[in-house]
Amino acid sequence: MTTLSPPIVKTSAPSVPDSTLPKRELFGVDVSLAEPNEVVDQVMQWVHAGKPAIADFMSVHSLIVAVRDKAHGTRMNDFDLVACDGQPMRWAMNRFHKADLAERTYGPTAMLNVCKRCAAEDASIYLYGGTDDVLAKLKENLTRTIPNLQIAGAESPPFRALSDDEKAEAVQRINDSGAKVVFLGIGCPKQEIFAHEQKDTIQAVQMCVGAAFNFHAGAVSQAPAWMQARGLEWFYRLIKEPRRLWKRYLVTNSIFVALFLKRLVLGR
């Protein structure tokens, strides 16, 4: 069972960056109505305006985590951008809000597109997550694919809860690097908790991209395009890692289907 942090205690009201992307409620979580190119454009607007922001690419799993844990749901509703990463998320938004989203905003693809824009527009990035081996390969692959990309820093945090001092030191390293975009690849919900906790301290756009580090490093294979288009990426990953993922997908997918059918039949 996923262990989340305790309820949020805010000491000050954060300033929320201007966003042209509206949100609509899905099972109690506010999700952005945005196509992939609109998400990338919004991130780069924040970059050039020098406005810190937090963005998430939400799958069915991360949505249900937010639905089941009210404190985490409140946390996610404080994000500046929550894009539909999963196809079922897009289908639900189109069905219940007539969003007419043509594509999902896939986190790994959004990461590459933001990196390309950063390289072309003289903005550096920071990589936070993964193992040392994954980070080394990720940096190699990114700089080979995007030659002008500036990677201001990269670090693999410990696979445990960080102390307040360790968090402060990480924030200091990130801010001292001058990076404009910080990619977080430490898994759901750890990356969302970290991003939200540092919303007022990290002076960059934080993007929670989950498994993108492993995908782009070549450590984990991605589902074929036909499976992604049909919302079957979860099934591909289940086949690859059945012992680790079977319980996650059995629970979260079942809850999503139940909530979808309930809303379809009973309405809001």
Side-chain angles (χ1 to χ4, degrees), residues 91-184:
W91 297 335
M93 294 296 284
N94 285 347
R95 177 63 181 82
F96 299 127
H97 293 295
K98 302 188 187 322
D100 198 28
L101 297 175
E103 298 179 62
R104 66 170 176 158
T105 304
Y106 188 39
T109 301
M111 177 179 175
L112 284 183
N113 289 336
V114 168
C115 283
K116 290 174 183 176
R117 289 282 298 274
C118 284
E121 300 170 30
D122 194 30
S124 61
I125 69 165
Y126 199 100
L127 303 171
Y128 187 86
T131 64
D132 289 333
D133 290 343
V134 164
L135 275 182
K137 193 62 178 178
L138 176 60
K139 290 191 291 182
E140 177 186 334
N141 290 347
L142 285 176
T143 52
R144 184 180 65 250
T145 305
I146 311 169
N148 295 326
L149 181 64
Q150 304 170 50
I151 301 179
E155 63 179 285
S156 173
F159 286 86
R160 56 169 172 76
L162 301 182
S163 68
D164 290 341
D165 286 344
E166 288 174 320
K167 291 177 186 177
E169 290 165 2
V171 169
Q172 189 67 52
R173 288 191 295 271
I174 291 170
N175 287 340
D176 287 349
S177 76
K180 300 299 183 183
V181 177
V182 180
F183 293 106
L184 302 176

